[in-house]
């Protein structure tokens, strides 16, 4: 699997980031509440590609370099 150097490189190819298969929405937490937002941009759904670039998933929600 291809490993990207950083989020800028990932977003150049997949504007919405790389998500594990089965992820339906972007989960965010704010002030004790959980929010589910729609995915934005061109999201690539691939568990293998996500695992190769897992270091770029700062919030550990299953989507690396997502648009917020």
């Amino acid at each position: 699997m291809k490993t990207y150097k950083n989020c800028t490189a990932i977003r150049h190819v997949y504007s919405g980031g790389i998500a594990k298969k089965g992820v339906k929405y972007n989960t965010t937490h704010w002030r004790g509440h959980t929010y589910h937002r729609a995915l934005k941009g061109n999201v690539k759904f691939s568990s293998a590609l996500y695992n190769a670039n897992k270091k770029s998933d700062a919030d550990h929600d299953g989507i690396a370099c997502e648009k917020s």
Side-chain angles (χ1 to χ4, degrees):
M1 279 289 115
K2 182 160 176 64
T3 303
Y4 294 92
K5 184 177 179 181
N6 54 33
C7 283
T8 303
I10 290 173
R11 287 193 195 120
H12 184 71
V13 180
Y14 306 110
S15 65
I18 302 169
K20 288 194 261 185
K21 282 192 174 189
V23 173
K24 303 270 189 244
Y25 42 80
N26 182 5
T27 303
T28 58
H29 304 282
W30 188 66
R31 293 189 178 185
H33 297 282
T34 301
Y35 298 95
H36 302 292
R37 298 180 178 168
L39 298 173
K40 297 178 183 177
N42 176 24
V43 180
K44 173 67 174 176
F45 293 95
S46 170
S47 293
L49 188 58
Y50 171 81
N51 287 332
N53 295 283
K54 195 174 193 175
K55 68 182 184 329
S56 296
D57 186 6
D59 56 359
H60 308 290
D61 64 350
I63 311 166
C65 301
E66 68 270 15
K67 281 186 176 181
S68 52

